[in-house]
């Protein structure tokens, strides 16, 4: 029942070997040139482009029809493959040695002039492009990104299948147990006043699957968080969700590193060196000022407490005595920074919440610093040398609590790398951070909250600290970091209901609340739960980093804006009152 | 940081070759037998079972610990693999030639007595099993079904990948465009009074992807319908969603049949004969009384209008004159049915909405029928012969409108097959039904509604009927039917905005409403839309049929009940007022 001439080849298929064959191509008019008598078009589809020639001398009828063609028309064109005339070949594209001399053309669909040109140099606003997402998606970069994403799915599915993982779908309509971010809710029509929630992660379900004996689980799954969105967040996002029984950290590490090796090899042609570098949370903070360090450049931090604890500069010595930390890093060649640049850096550092920024330059005249009179040239030099600096360098120092000193320095370090263009984009900064704190005190909630999530196992050496020195207890948690971005996180879980209850209690979640929210998991632990752990990879973010994009919107087919709107279909939208009545809700 | 002895082997791995090796197994205590001195346990994991022996003479310490073991405890057990004593081998299981003489055992998790036994002969109610789904999922049949489902995912992903399909994720938070079933709604926090909807299918998005030039799309995707549930429905279900550009029905057919061939071959070891049988909707109705015929047994229907149109039996002759249909089928051997059985059949047929059931038996005494005096032995015999009957058979006849006659006969046909046990479960009844009606008049809505969905292309021969004889226009729609159940459905779509608008108009959807709901698709069609079509497979139902289950709940990890409740975690549930306030809604 073909109502049009179906293609014999795609627009990327024809080669010199096809010369003389009569073919039919289906696709979009990419470019149209009318050179006096002869009309040339490039016909485009996902697979490539082919040049088509309409010659009035050879096929007058087809040429007449071709006059109506415009960019983005969808056509079926038939003709004989010819060798391109000498000198007109295009070696840049695989079909560039041939063209098709059209003897017939059908217009399958006309096209209005697109609101922006269909190419990667587009300068239309992102909002306009999102509104016309179907046109934006025709651009080569988005076609490439979604094809790349497709290949990533395949590699991931195959990797886990080959290792005995079972792909299991967990529910999207689940119970609301907000702990951390807000749930998206779904009112129940059948059960008046009750709601489902969309999963922030399938965490409890995958643990249940371990209790059920599935041993190795994986799923590429949509998750949802109703948060105020930042640049790289979306209300719905995709994760590779993994859980294993009878394992410890080393099993998850080996599994993950194997996956990374295959992804980088197959999709990027890069051989990763394994095992990956691994830092404790403490090491990452003290060396890079971040729990997701970017190790593609230096500027490593150093603590100078020992050097300054007895010095005359009170901000330093008193700070150390009060348990604080004085630390800093050296900017190679930074001695040449102007006064203006330094003032700017001081302001930037203060904007991060620092009391101030102490700095010293090692110039031709020796050590120079606004704080020279408090610290002395000698101490300044010892600090500089301790931090690895030499003549021509700049040392930056901050004194505050351990957390603030390192956090501020970490941000400052990234900022310096950006300003000095120190990040080598061809490098791969892939590493582990492990042994995160288990709980942290939330000033807002006036209680301890889980740093990872409430099902994370405490470090066995720190069980004794849980009640006595809660904030110091470490978790059996680990993050995988790529180029300064967290791309996966996981933990060894609690599989003992008594310890799990203790965790809830430490977090101020009463027994009743725990039973209401997580009773099914606690109950499951009563019937024989294996030791288990897992990890979840941010699929969108991983794809973004691997394709070199700056936004996850560029690796999703239909992303939403920062205010969670789909500009193409205008979701969310108003709905009929009848729909709301059936759901027993009213808007207020 | 191992806190337990990690397994060296799974519980399904040990063989005679391992005799003499010291191993560690992790798993669940499946069975425990205390034979005087010696304790035997079977240790179980997903991979199998292994017998473990605790002998007080050989390892008194381990034996002492084993006394505490109970069913479903999770343990780590170490020992040396031994040959089982002559006569105690179990050839039924792959590990049956060996056992492990335990010298050490650790209890990793204790277990209460399960509320029902963990085996397939369980007679606990389904509600109890769903509440303790984590235990139910330990049963061999559910483990098998989810492993089978896993393999089905892999085969499907690979099949489409190898054929150049791009896997693309479409949004779960989309625009509400209810047309047919009810949407699940998600209130927006950021946009007061607005709502997202969960997709009933990614239909519009996959068409958009064709407009974007992705050419071949597939996704295994969750869909949602807030309907009053029937036995084989779930509020969330999974489909294999497929769309292709520049195709007609034959391309979808070949693709689908290729997929079915590989699924049956790889997962069931069955060679399908291709091409599959294909019926028009009219043929399916007139031969089987169903648009999803079960062809694993006979009892084919036949029309007898020509034989009865002038007969004296008014119910028949007047019926035909009024444009109705008299049809029936023959039950081989049915002449021996008792009076009681026949009364029962008549009642059953009336319960389907039939005015009555006319029947005739061909006995030793010739044709016998309660309607004999109206129809005469001669006509009865001609009817019987026309329907393929002979001595010993029973003919069943219904007279009503075309639709009612065949629908009633179709149900009666299935009922007879069930009563007479005619369905050969080893057969595979896989077939196409095509050329469905495009629109049908809804008495409830007082307008035409789409039989498939509003994006389905009319049959090119029937474009002329659209306005003049709407109900007679056929669609370019097709269903794949397996053993009397629809497992996939699709169509060639409209790709022309004028025709699409006409379709909306025929369905009483005004221009404004069409633009509000589907404006983005109509707008997309303005910029060059390729001819396209697709199909969607019901993943749960397909898995159910392939595993021989009677309910899709048996092929899903965490199904909901008929009232859309998850008995395990008690979703849906009440939520905090704070959550509702943030969403600007109130329950009523």
């Amino acid at each position: 029942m073909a109502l049009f001439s179906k293609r014999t080849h795609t627009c990327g298929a024809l080669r010199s070997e096809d010369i003389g064959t009569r073919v039919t191509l289906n696709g979009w008019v990419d470019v149209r040139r009318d050179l006096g008598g002869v009309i040339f078009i490039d016909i485009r589809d996902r697979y490539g482009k082919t040049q088509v020639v309409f010659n009035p001398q050879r096929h007058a009828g087809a040429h007449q029809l071709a006059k109506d063609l415009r960019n983005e028309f969808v056509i079926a064109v038939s003709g004989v493959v010819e060798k391109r005339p000498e000198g007109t070949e295009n070696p840049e594209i695989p079909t560039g040695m041939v063209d098709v001399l059209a003897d017939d053309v059908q217009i399958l669909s006309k096209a209005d002039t697109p609101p922006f040109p269909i190419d990667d140099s587009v300068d239309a606003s992102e909002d306009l492009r999102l509104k016309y997402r179907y046109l934006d998606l025709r651009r080569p970069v988005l076609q490439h990104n979604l094809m790349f994403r497709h290949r990533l799915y395949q590699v991931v599915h195959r990797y886990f299948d080959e290792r005995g993982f079972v792909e299991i779908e967990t529910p999207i309509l689940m119970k609301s147990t907000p702990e951390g971010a807000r749930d998206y809710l779904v009112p129940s029509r059948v059960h008046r006043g009750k709601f489902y929630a969309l999963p922030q992660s399938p965490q409890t379900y995958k643990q249940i699957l371990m209790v059920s004996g599935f041993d190795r689980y994986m799923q590429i799954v949509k998750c949802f968080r109703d948060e105020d969105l930042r640049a790289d967040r979306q209300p719905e996002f995709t994760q590779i969700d993994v859980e294993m029984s009878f394992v410890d950290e080393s099993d998850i590490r080996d599994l993950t590193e194997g996956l990374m090796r295959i992804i980088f090899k197959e999709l990027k042609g890069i051989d990763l060196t394994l095992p990956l570098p691994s830092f404790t949370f403490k090491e990452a903070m003290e060396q890079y000022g971040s729990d997701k360090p970017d190790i593609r450049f230096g500027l490593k931090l150093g603590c100078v407490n020992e050097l300054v604890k007895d010095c005359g500069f009170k901000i330093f010595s008193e700070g150390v005595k009060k348990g604080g930390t004085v630390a800093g890093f050296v900017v190679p060649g930074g001695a040449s920074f102007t006064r203006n640049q330094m003032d700017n850096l001081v302001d930037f550092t203060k904007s991060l919440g620092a009391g101030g920024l102490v700095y010293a330059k090692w110039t031709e005249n020796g050590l120079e610093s606004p704080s020279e009179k408090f610290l002395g040239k000698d101490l300044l030099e010892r600090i500089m040398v301790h931090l690895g600096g030499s003549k021509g360098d700049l040392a930056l120092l901050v004194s505050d609590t351990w957390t603030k000193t390192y956090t501020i320095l970490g941000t400052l370090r990234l900022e310096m790398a950006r300003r000095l263009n120190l990040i080598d984009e061809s490098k791969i900064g892939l590493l582990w951070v492990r042994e995160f704190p288990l709980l942290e005190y939330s000033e807002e909630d006036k209680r301890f909250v889980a740093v990872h999530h409430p099902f994370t196992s405490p470090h066995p050496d720190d069980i004794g600290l849980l009640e006595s020195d809660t904030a110091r207890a470490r978790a059996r948690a680990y993050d995988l970091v790529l180029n300064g971005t967290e791309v996966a996180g996981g933990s060894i879980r609690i599989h003992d209901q008594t310890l799990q209850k203790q965790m809830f209690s430490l977090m101020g979640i009463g027994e009743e609340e725990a039973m209401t929210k997580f009773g099914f998991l606690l109950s499951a632990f009563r019937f024989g739960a294996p030791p288990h752990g897992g990890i979840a990879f941010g699929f969108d973010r991983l794809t973004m980093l691997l394709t070199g994009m700056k936004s996850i919107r560029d690796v999703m087919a239909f992303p939403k804006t920062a205010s969670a709107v789909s500009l193409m279909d205008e979701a969310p939208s108003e709905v009929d009152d009848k729909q709301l009545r059936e759901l027993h809700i009213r808007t207020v």
Side-chain angles (χ1 to χ4, degrees), chain A:
Chain A
M1 209 186 320
L3 300 173
F4 62 97
S5 299
K6 274 202 287 183
R7 61 188 170 199
T8 56
H9 296 73
T10 70
C11 298
L14 297 176
R15 299 288 183 276
S16 296
E17 301 89 89
D18 300 301
I19 289 168
T21 312
R22 188 165 187 278
V23 300
T24 298
L25 302 180
N26 297 163
W28 283 258
V29 175
D30 194 58
V31 177
R32 176 180 174 283
R33 279 155 294 158
D34 196 334
L35 300 184
V38 181
I39 296 173
F40 292 88
I41 65 157
D42 283 349
I43 182 169
R44 182 194 76 225
D45 64 13
R46 195 187 96 196
Y47 312 94
K49 292 177 189 176
T50 302
Q51 181 168 282
V52 181
V53 182
F54 296 89
N55 187 325
Q57 264 78 52
R58 307 273 295 272
H59 298 287
H63 179 265
Q64 188 59 36
L65 292 170
K67 286 183 178 169
D68 293 334
L69 299 183
R70 294 294 175 271
N71 281 2
E72 303 307 318
F73 275 31
V74 180
I75 58 171
V77 62
S78 300
V80 173
V81 182
E82 295 197 330
K83 186 175 180 344
R84 286 204 199 181
E86 201 96 12
T88 67
E89 301 93 342
N90 180 357
E92 306 277 306
I93 60 171
T95 60
M97 305 310 286
V98 299
D99 53 32
V100 172
L101 179 72
D103 56 45
D104 190 26
V105 62
Q106 283 174 280
I107 294 175
L108 307 182
S109 175
K110 294 190 176 187
D112 291 356
T113 302
F116 51 83
I118 309 297
D119 63 48
D120 288 342
S121 61
V122 62
D123 61 357
S125 73
E126 188 174 16
D127 277 4
L128 188 69
R129 290 188 289 112
L130 286 174
K131 178 173 176 188
Y132 295 95
R133 188 63 168 177
Y134 36 88
L135 299 178
D136 201 29
L137 285 171
R138 288 183 189 168
R139 292 193 301 122
V141 63
L142 289 182
Q143 294 262 324
H144 170 267
N145 291 350
L146 292 187
M147 293 296 299
F148 185 96
R149 188 172 171 125
H150 164 79
R151 287 162 60 214
L152 185 55
Y153 293 127
Q154 312 310 314
V155 170
V156 171
H157 280 301
R158 203 188 60 225
Y159 180 81
F160 285 100
D161 178 47
E162 285 172 356
R163 280 149 190 85
F165 284 76
V166 194
E167 205 170 323
I168 300 178
E169 290 182 74
T170 51
I172 296 290
L173 295 171
M174 62 170 275
K175 186 189 178 80
S176 180
T177 56
E179 176 62 29
R182 283 188 204 87
D183 282 336
Y184 278 105
L185 295 183
V186 182
S188 164
R189 177 176 56 84
V190 183
H191 303 278
R192 182 186 291 261
K194 295 190 174 182
F195 293 80
Y196 304 95
L198 305 184
Q200 297 188 26
S201 111
Q203 183 61 34
T204 49
Y205 291 107
K206 67 176 175 173
Q207 294 193 241
I208 288 285
L209 290 171
M210 294 303 102
V211 175
S212 298
F214 282 98
D215 203 72
R216 304 182 141 209
Y217 144 92
M218 81 80 63
Q219 188 184 190
I220 299 182
V221 61
K222 278 276 177 74
C223 300
F224 305 84
R225 272 181 213 165
D226 186 7
E227 288 182 293
D228 296 312
L229 303 180
R230 298 198 306 256
D232 62 342
R233 287 281 176 91
Q234 284 279 318
E236 57 184 291
F237 53 98
T238 303
Q239 70 185 35
I240 307 168
D241 198 44
V242 176
E243 197 77 7
M244 303 168 82
S245 291
F246 304 114
V247 295
D248 59 27
E249 288 85 341
S250 67
D251 302 277
I252 309 284
R253 184 192 64 218
D254 293 348
L255 178 82
T256 300
E257 295 190 351
L259 175 64
M260 288 299 125
R261 192 171 54 76
I262 286 186
I263 287 175
F264 274 89
K265 184 69 186 170
E266 293 202 8
L267 299 183
K268 304 290 287 180
I270 293 170
D271 288 302
L272 277 188
T273 306
L274 298 183
L276 297 175
S278 177
F279 301 86
T280 64
F281 169 76
K282 188 163 177 287
E283 289 165 348
M285 288 300 292
E286 293 183 349
Q287 293 176 32
Y288 299 98
S290 170
D291 61 356
K292 37 183 188 287
D294 190 337
I295 58 169
R296 289 175 299 170
F297 61 94
L299 308 187
K300 279 174 84 167
L301 314 185
C303 174
V304 297
N305 280 6
E306 283 303 312
L307 297 178
V308 304
K309 65 181 179 188
D310 299 318
C311 78
F313 191 40
K314 288 241 158 79
I315 293 174
F316 282 8
S317 54
E318 293 293 318
V320 173
K321 282 193 188 94
K322 282 186 201 143
T325 298
V326 184
F329 65 95
V330 155
V331 182
S336 61
F337 282 17
T338 64
R339 176 64 188 261
N340 212 9
Q341 284 176 303
M342 291 315 305
D343 287 350
N344 183 294
L345 264 191
V346 171
D347 289 346
F348 177 79
T349 310
K350 284 183 179 166
S351 77
L352 303 174
L357 176 69
V358 174
Y359 65 86
K361 294 173 172 180
W362 196 335
T363 70
E364 291 300 324
N365 309 319
L367 273 292
E368 291 180 1
S369 168
S371 316
E372 190 183 324
K373 62 181 165 185
F374 306 113
L375 288 160
K377 276 189 189 284
D378 184 51
L379 180 55
L380 283 172
E381 185 172 333
R382 279 190 291 139
I383 289 171
M384 185 68 97
V385 170
H386 179 78
L387 293 175
S390 53
K391 195 178 283 183
D393 295 348
L394 167 74
L396 302 173
L397 296 163
V398 169
S399 172
D400 210 312
T401 61
W402 182 90
T403 302
K404 280 190 73 180
T405 293
Y406 286 118
T407 307
I408 289 162
L409 285 170
T411 310
L412 194 56
R413 173 180 175 268
L414 282 178
E415 180 64 20
M416 290 309 303
R418 243 174 257 126
R419 292 192 187 182
L420 299 172
N421 205 18
L422 297 181
I423 302 175
D424 179 351
E425 297 285 351
S426 74
K427 279 194 181 168
I428 293 157
L430 190 59
L431 58 93
W432 290 102
V433 179
R434 61 183 204 281
E435 296 179 22
F436 283 84
L438 184 68
L439 295 159
E440 65 189 354
Y441 193 76
S442 161
E443 290 295 344
E444 191 188 333
D445 297 341
K446 302 288 174 214
R447 63 177 181 95
F448 278 99
V449 295
V451 170
H452 188 57
H453 58 51
F455 313 105
T456 301
S457 187
H459 194 291
D461 297 347
D462 297 354
I463 296 277
L465 298 177
L466 285 179
E467 304 287 343
S468 61
D469 197 357
T470 312
R472 268 192 56 217
R474 289 165 299 166
R476 297 180 72 179
Y478 30 81
D479 279 358
L480 185 71
V481 175
L482 175 57
N483 300 346
T485 299
E486 180 201 331
V487 289
S491 62
I492 301 299
R493 325 297 183 186
I494 297 165
H495 70 280
D496 176 86
Q497 59 163 331
T498 311
L499 183 56
Q500 186 64 67
K501 284 180 181 169
Q502 185 185 4
M503 274 292 287
F504 286 137
S505 153
L506 285 169
M507 295 166 56
I509 301 178
E511 197 145 345
E512 200 179 330
E513 185 183 354
M515 282 311 290
T516 305
K517 285 185 174 174
F518 304 108
F520 64 102
L521 186 62
L522 292 169
S523 162
F525 285 172
R526 280 170 38 214
F527 295 99
H532 61 287
I535 191 163
F537 301 78
F539 197 95
D540 309 297
R541 232 186 275 179
L542 190 59
T543 312
M544 176 187 83
L545 293 170
L546 291 169
T547 54
M549 295 292 113
K550 298 292 177 204
S551 161
I552 58 171
R553 291 187 297 277
D554 289 335
V555 295
M556 303 172 76
F558 301 106
K560 294 188 174 63
T561 65
S563 68
V565 167
S566 169
L567 293 175
M568 183 180 78
D569 58 15
E570 295 175 325
S573 61
E574 278 159 24
V575 297
D576 284 352
D577 282 342
K578 176 164 172 276
Q579 286 176 274
L580 299 185
R581 272 199 308 278
E582 286 190 329
L583 298 174
H584 324 292
I585 59 168
R586 202 162 50 197
T587 58
V588 291

